[in-house]
Amino acid sequence: SDPRPPGCLDVEHFGAYVNKQYSNMTCPMLQSWGQVKRNYYCGREATYRDETKHVFSFCPETCGHNCAPTLLPTISPSAPRTEFPTATPTDSLTEKPTTSPSAAPTGAPTTTPTD
């Protein structure tokens, strides 16, 4: 029995238009190329059956892509914290209300931003 998960096998009938040069690139075609050219095209995007992904997603064996899922959690978070506030408030409450914003303007409008 094959020890690789099914998602790690080349898509048998994959054929796609890639990079305006190859109108029906297949995994066997890619396999026949030299390593440098193969690596280049494995990193390009292709659309096959209305799904756009990197070629290595369709030809993981040919591209040498390790598509096995990780078994353990990673050390760092997968997404950085957001730079800007979210559109909806959090569920936690503050102990006291804040003093800002004020009820009335504090001065006349300026023509340039202030600190």
Side-chain angles (χ1 to χ4, degrees), residues 13-85:
H13 299 288
F14 168 73
Y17 183 78
V18 180
N19 237 28
K20 299 180 182 179
Q21 291 180 348
Y22 297 99
S23 61
N24 194 27
M25 178 185 288
T26 64
C27 299
M29 175 191 294
L30 195 57
Q31 181 65 44
S32 71
W33 295 342
Q35 189 67 44
V36 172
K37 187 175 181 180
R38 185 169 50 244
N39 286 347
Y40 175 79
Y41 282 96
C42 285
R44 301 293 90 181
E45 285 191 340
T47 301
Y48 175 67
R49 294 190 177 175
D50 296 324
E51 208 170 353
T52 301
K53 300 183 196 178
H54 287 97
V55 172
F56 66 74
S57 296
F58 298 112
C59 304
E61 287 178 289
T62 296
C63 293
H65 179 66
N66 180 3
C67 55
T70 58
L71 300 176
L72 300 174
T74 57
I75 293 172
S76 58
S78 55
R81 66 184 186 130
T82 59
E83 183 178 342
F84 299 102

Side-chain angles (χ1 to χ4, degrees), residues 93-97:
L93 303 173
T94 57
E95 289 182 32
K96 298 179 185 177

